[in-house]
Amino acid sequence: MVNIGALLVGMFFGFLAQVATFFQLQGPMKYEWFKNHYWLTVLMGIPISMLFIYSVKNMVIAFDGQMWPSRLIGFSIGAVVFSLLSWSVFNEPLTTKTLICLGLAITILLVQLFVK
C-alpha cells in the first residue's frame, strides 16, 4: 500500500528541486543576475540537493523502501517541469517530439502510481 502523504511530500519537494535546478542551470542563458553571481548560483546546489534528498526519502518511504519508484517519478516530474519552463521562459515550441516524450514521461508516472 502506498503511503499517500509521504508520496505527496516527496513529489512536492521533487517539484521544487526541479524548478530550482532549471533556473540554476538555464538561468545564466537568460538572466544577467545568474551570470553576475556565479558562486551564488553554484551554491544554490546545496539547498537544491537537500530538496532532492527529502524528495527521495519521502518517496522511498511511500513505496515501502523501494528505490525505483522514486527514481522514475523524479524523472517524470523533471521532464514535465523542464518542458513547461522551457516553453514558458524561453518560448521554446512544444514540438511533436517533445509532446511524445512528455506523454511517455506522464505514462511512466502513471505506471508508478497506479500499477501494482
Side-chain angles (χ1 to χ4, degrees):
M1 185 85 185
V2 175
N3 179 333
I4 299 298
L7 175 63
L8 292 175
V9 169
M11 290 177 72
F12 175 74
F13 281 128
F15 173 80
L16 291 179
Q18 292 291 350
V19 170
T21 299
F22 178 87
F23 284 103
Q24 180 194 31
L25 300 179
Q26 277 68 44
M29 308 303 161
K30 183 167 178 102
Y31 302 109
E32 287 298 317
W33 186 92
F34 289 97
K35 291 179 191 174
N36 296 333
H37 296 91
Y38 177 80
W39 285 107
L40 287 176
T41 303
V42 169
L43 290 173
M44 285 173 61
I46 295 170
I48 291 170
S49 295
M50 292 171 67
L51 289 170
F52 278 121
I53 290 168
Y54 292 141
S55 173
V56 170
K57 174 185 172 186
N58 279 282
M59 284 194 273
V60 168
I61 289 169
F63 287 94
D64 295 323
Q66 294 181 44
M67 298 292 289
W68 270 110
S70 71
R71 179 66 188 111
L72 295 171
I73 291 170
F75 160 77
S76 299
I77 292 170
V80 170
V81 166
F82 186 88
S83 297
L84 293 176
L85 288 176
S86 293
W87 170 71
S88 64
V89 174
F90 289 98
N91 297 316
E92 288 195 16
L94 293 174
T95 63
T96 301
K97 180 171 67 171
T98 302
L99 291 171
I100 290 169
C101 291
L102 276 174
L104 291 170
I106 292 168
T107 301
I108 289 170
L109 178 63
L110 294 174
V111 167
Q112 290 303 308
L113 295 177
F114 298 111
V115 176
K116 300 250 178 206

